């Protein structure tokens, strides 16, 4: 189908994508990303649900790398919820200073530790409705914990995830909860956690906010926003971040699968 422009030149009219076509395209993108990032994982260092919960709260408005460089000292001094609940706030603030907003984050991690100690016998609950009642814990944080510490599927609608699913025209929603619901309806529930990792990793490494590396993107043929960024392959390669660009990742202690795939651990705080 075509229409005529003022210059009387025919221009093709793109048909709206059907629901079925959208589901197929979305799932194909996820399959393609799974091949690109077979080692995708949470980029926060943690050894148990409590550490993941605290690290995720601390990751607000800073990088996972900065959190990973900061939490070793925090968990060495306060290894359990009971320890952190009884901590001197000023001492915790000093440890968390590199993470930014350290006073608010100190209140949150001490507060959630007190709640865990008083209401859950020092254990991180494995239910969404319990997690979101903890200080500083919203749905995004709760789903990170549920998906990666308890194996319960959830969509992590962080800034990278929301930016990319809108760029790919999977949804026009802007509210995180509505985005979560819209994207969840496109995929089987069992895919939600890994889907979140794939999308977030792609947003951090290739499909950047200001200058996506379109010319180095493995899903370019499936992307309606292709061309918004650098399309020259050689120039695009120079925009790649983390292991895609040959640089260290964000974890000090990444999974072995990531290291086996050529990924490099990040340096500790104060190194180089």
């Amino acid at each position: 189908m075509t229409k005529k422009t003022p210059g009387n030149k025919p221009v093709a009219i793109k048909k709206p994508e059907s629901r079925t076509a959208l589901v197929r395209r979305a799932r194909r993108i996820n399959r393609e990303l799974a091949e690109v990032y077979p080692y995708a994982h949470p980029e926060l260092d943690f050894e148990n649900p409590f550490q993941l919960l605290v690290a995720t709260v601390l990751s607000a408005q800073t990088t996972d790398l900065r959190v990973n460089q900061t939490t070793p000292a925090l968990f060495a001094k306060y290894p359990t919820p009971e320890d952190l609940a009884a901590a001197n706030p000023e001492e915790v603030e000093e440890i968390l200073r590199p993470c930014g907003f350290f006073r608010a984050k100190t209140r949150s991690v001490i507060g959630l530790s007190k709640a865990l100690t008083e209401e859950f016998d020092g254990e991180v609950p494995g239910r969404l409705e319990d997690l979101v009642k903890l200080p500083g814990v919203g749905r995004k944080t709760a789903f990170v914990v549920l998906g990666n510490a308890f194996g319960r599927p959830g969509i992590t609608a962080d800034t990278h995830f929301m930016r990319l699913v809108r760029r790919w025209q999977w949804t026009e929603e802007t509210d995180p909860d509505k985005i979560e619901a819209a994207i969840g309806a496109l995929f089987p529930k069992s895919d939600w956690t890994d889907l979140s990792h794939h999308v977030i990793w792609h947003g951090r490494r290739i499909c950047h906010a200001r200058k996506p590396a379109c010319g180095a993107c493995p899903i370019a043929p499936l992307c309606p926003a292709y061309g918004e960024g650098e399309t020259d392959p050689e120039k695009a390669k120079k925009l790649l971040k983390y292991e895609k660009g040959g640089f260290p990742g964000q974890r000090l202690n990444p999974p072995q699968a990531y290291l086996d795939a050529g990924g490099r651990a990040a340096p500790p705080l104060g190194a180089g």
Side-chain angles (χ1 to χ4, degrees):
M1 183 177 179
T2 63
K3 68 177 180 179
K4 295 295 185 65
T5 65
N8 209 35
K9 294 181 179 179
V11 177
I13 299 176
K14 187 176 180 181
K15 293 182 179 180
E17 188 174 37
S18 70
R19 177 70 179 181
T20 299
L22 170 60
V23 170
R24 287 175 177 169
R25 181 169 64 86
R27 294 185 182 186
R28 184 177 172 189
I29 286 176
N30 187 41
R31 290 196 299 271
E32 296 279 350
L33 294 181
E35 294 184 7
V36 178
Y37 310 107
Y39 43 74
H41 58 270
E43 294 195 83
L44 292 166
D45 283 325
F46 70 98
E47 296 179 355
N48 54 57
F50 173 63
Q51 290 188 0
L52 179 58
L53 177 60
V54 170
T56 306
V57 169
L58 296 179
S59 70
Q61 296 178 292
T62 191
T63 64
D64 287 356
L65 171 58
R66 180 59 67 185
V67 174
N68 291 336
Q69 292 173 325
T70 304
T71 51
L74 179 71
F75 296 139
K77 190 167 185 177
Y78 311 106
T80 69
E82 291 83 357
D83 294 324
L84 192 50
N88 180 328
E90 292 183 358
E91 294 179 2
V92 176
E93 286 179 1
E94 195 57 36
I95 295 174
L96 299 185
R97 188 178 294 271
C99 286
F101 302 95
F102 60 91
R103 292 189 178 89
K105 291 179 179 181
T106 293
R107 289 194 295 272
S108 291
V109 298
I110 289 180
L112 70 84
S113 295
K114 288 181 177 178
L116 291 176
T117 301
E118 296 170 1
E119 300 173 31
F120 299 100
D121 296 322
E123 299 292 332
V124 175
R127 300 195 313 162
L128 175 65
E129 53 266 41
D130 292 329
L131 285 168
V132 295
K133 293 177 182 178
L134 299 173
V137 179
R139 288 177 66 87
K140 182 188 78 172
T141 295
F143 280 130
V144 169
V145 174
L146 290 173
N148 298 288
F150 293 98
R152 296 175 183 171
I155 288 176
T156 304
D158 76 347
T159 54
H160 299 286
F161 188 94
M162 293 190 290
R163 183 181 79 251
L164 265 62
V165 298
R166 287 176 53 80
R167 183 173 277 172
W168 294 335
Q169 296 180 13
W170 288 4
T171 182
E172 294 181 354
E173 299 290 353
T174 57
D175 177 77
D177 291 351
K178 292 181 179 179
I179 288 175
E180 176 194 315
I183 305 309
L186 299 176
F187 294 88
K189 190 172 183 179
S190 58
D191 289 352
W192 289 357
T193 299
D194 285 341
L195 168 70
S196 299
H197 291 323
H198 299 154
V199 176
I200 292 169
W201 275 57
H202 194 60
R204 286 174 170 170
R205 286 153 177 77
I206 297 177
C207 196
H208 311 134
R210 295 184 180 179
K211 198 170 185 180
C214 294
C217 180
I219 61 164
L222 300 169
C223 180
Y226 175 78
E228 287 186 6
E230 179 58 65
T231 57
D232 180 88
E234 292 305 315
K235 292 180 180 178
K237 284 182 181 178
K238 296 178 181 179
L239 300 174
L240 302 182
K241 296 182 179 179
Y242 304 114
E243 77 288 342
K244 292 300 177 184
F247 303 107
Q250 300 201 78
R251 290 187 68 163
L252 278 68
N253 298 296
Q256 189 61 45
Y258 175 72
L259 298 174
D260 291 343
R264 291 161 50 194
L269 189 65

